[in-house]
Amino acid sequence: MQAKDSNPPDGGYGWVVVVSAFVVMGLTVAVLKTFGLFFVEIQQHFDELASTTSWITSVTIAVFHLGAPVASSLCVQYTHRTVVITGGLLAFSGMALGFFGFNMVWMYATTGFLQGLGISFSWTPAISIVSHYFSKKRALANAIASAGECAFAFTFGPFFQWLISQYGWKGALLIIGGIQLNICVCGTLMRPLASSCLEASHCKTETPPCNGTSRRDKEEKSPIMHKTFNWMLVRQPEFVLYAIFGILAAMSFFVPPLFLVPLSYSLGIDESWTASLLSILAMVDFGGRLLCGWYANLRVTKTIHLLAMTITLISTSLMLLPLANNYLSLAIFTGFYGFFFGTTVAIHITVLADVVGMPEFDSGLGLFMLIRSTGGFVGPPLAGLIVDMAGDYRAGFYMAGATLVLSAGFLVILDRLQQRKKRGRKIRTKPEKSTLPYPALHLLKHQ
């Protein structure tokens, strides 16, 4: 199948790519988010401590983030389609081999390492190719694709629980692995965008231009022409500021889901009602992503300004959430948090594309995921330490809210830096409008 033209179509076949990415998000991140249902089953089977069992998920999350630069580099060298298909096979292998469940080390290597690598190789190119297919509607397309995580997580909870009850945790892993093979199907639908000039005639530097356009011009127009992974993005101040924002945000994002259930138990809320909080979280998260993506697509507000506002609103909701003293108030504050979290996830990749530019987007996404992973590693243990010192789960939410406020500050600094550079470019270009002196211009007017 031939590649399509490199210019972002902003529709057409791009919506097929969006739907494919929607499914990939569901079969990767949603599986990771609901894997906690296997926690007790695996712990009891191997008769291990909770801390030992939790390393399965920790390894998965670590490899997911650390594998992002590798996945991005492979996308640059080959195609997004190839990497997504490879990721689907790896994810299936991790679950299928986990079926044998020989020992805990085996689980670390299969459902931990292989599954994490499969998620990384599927998620990273899937979200990347959506941005390549869309320009004007990029925010909306990214929001729809990322919403797959919420839609699948909402249904996977009861479905996985039913699989475990019917086939045991090992049989459930095997079935889920088979379902994840559909990632490969989605990958085949992700038709690569490439330069028609290179596809048709494999132009070399010294050959004449194709259709009157130079090869250099083609490379500037095509977002997938760069054939090397750009590690030097870490030297760009704009990327560094956004990466720091990513670290601080990741420190906060993993904390609320971790302490929401224990907080509800400490308030004396029944276990059945507590489970519904997670469903509320998934539903409002889904709505927030779609609504924010639609609003961002209207271009009424600058995307980085919108992101700063949503981050501020998340931090506010996290500061208010500990004030809840019953199920109703906790559900309301959880809803606010979930909604604003969804709005943030819907546009933060779009802002990254604006920061680094589409020619460097694959490299930027991989590096951003790698750097952001440090926040995900540090956040939960730090929040746990603060909770232990305070003796109250509410302290974890206060810590998450305060960290998000700090992260919003770096977005403000980034925006100021971008505006200053933009003004500097305008000042430098103004003298170029009239290079002739006034007398010469006067003579030309009367000729």
Side-chain angles (χ1 to χ4, degrees), residues 137-333:
K137 300 178 182 178
R138 184 175 296 147
L140 178 61
N142 277 325
I144 295 173
S146 69
E149 171 189 335
C150 309
F152 279 75
F154 182 75
T155 57
F156 274 174
F159 177 58
F160 286 4
Q161 193 67 61
W162 178 81
L163 285 178
I164 294 171
S165 64
Q166 294 295 315
Y167 304 101
W169 68 270
K170 290 186 177 182
L173 286 181
L174 185 61
I175 294 172
I176 294 169
I179 295 173
Q180 285 184 308
L181 280 174
N182 287 288
I183 295 173
C184 300
V185 178
C186 296
T188 60
L189 296 174
M190 293 178 178
R191 195 158 56 191
L193 285 166
S195 171
S196 56
C197 175
L198 291 181
E199 286 257 323
S201 57
H202 302 283
C203 298
K204 296 180 181 179
T205 308
E206 59 272 4
T207 57
C210 297
N211 300 325
T213 306
S214 68
R215 183 175 184 268
R216 183 177 178 180
D217 291 341
K218 282 286 183 179
E219 289 183 352
E220 289 176 353
K221 289 181 180 180
S222 173
I224 313 185
M225 290 301 301
H226 292 254
K227 295 300 180 184
T228 56
F229 190 90
N230 187 6
W231 294 94
M232 293 299 102
L233 284 174
V234 295
R235 294 185 177 182
Q236 295 185 7
E238 294 92 337
F239 179 77
V240 171
L241 287 170
Y242 197 68
I244 295 173
F245 154 76
I247 293 172
L248 295 172
M251 286 179 64
S252 305
F253 287 162
F254 290 98
V255 172
L258 186 65
F259 294 121
L260 183 60
V261 173
L263 176 62
S264 66
Y265 288 157
S266 68
L267 295 175
I269 299 173
D270 186 73
E271 184 177 347
S272 59
W273 286 102
T274 299
S276 67
L277 291 174
L278 300 178
S279 298
I280 293 172
L281 198 61
M283 286 189 294
V284 295
D285 186 355
F286 181 84
R289 297 186 193 216
L290 295 183
L291 184 61
C292 188
W294 167 80
Y295 179 78
N297 192 63
L298 297 177
R299 299 178 183 272
V300 177
T301 307
K302 192 176 178 181
T303 314
I304 192 171
H305 294 168
L306 186 59
L307 180 61
M309 285 189 290
T310 59
I311 287 292
T312 304
L313 290 169
I314 292 178
S315 63
T316 303
S317 63
L318 286 177
M319 293 292 191
L320 293 175
L321 193 146
L323 301 178
N325 54 11
N326 53 44
Y327 173 79
L328 180 59
S329 57
L330 187 59
I332 292 173
F333 289 130

Side-chain angles (χ1 to χ4, degrees), residues 72-131:
S72 295
S73 179
L74 291 174
C75 288
V76 173
Q77 295 295 327
Y78 302 100
T79 62
H80 296 76
R81 168 192 283 168
T82 303
V83 182
V84 171
I85 293 174
T86 304
L89 294 174
L90 287 170
F92 162 74
S93 301
M95 288 295 194
L97 292 174
F99 165 80
F100 296 101
F102 294 129
N103 50 50
M104 193 59 73
V105 175
W106 177 265
M107 299 305 295
Y108 296 157
T110 55
T111 56
F113 180 82
L114 283 178
Q115 179 68 198
L117 198 62
I119 291 175
S120 185
F121 277 32
S122 303
W123 185 93
T124 307
I127 204 68
S128 172
I129 196 170
V130 169
S131 293

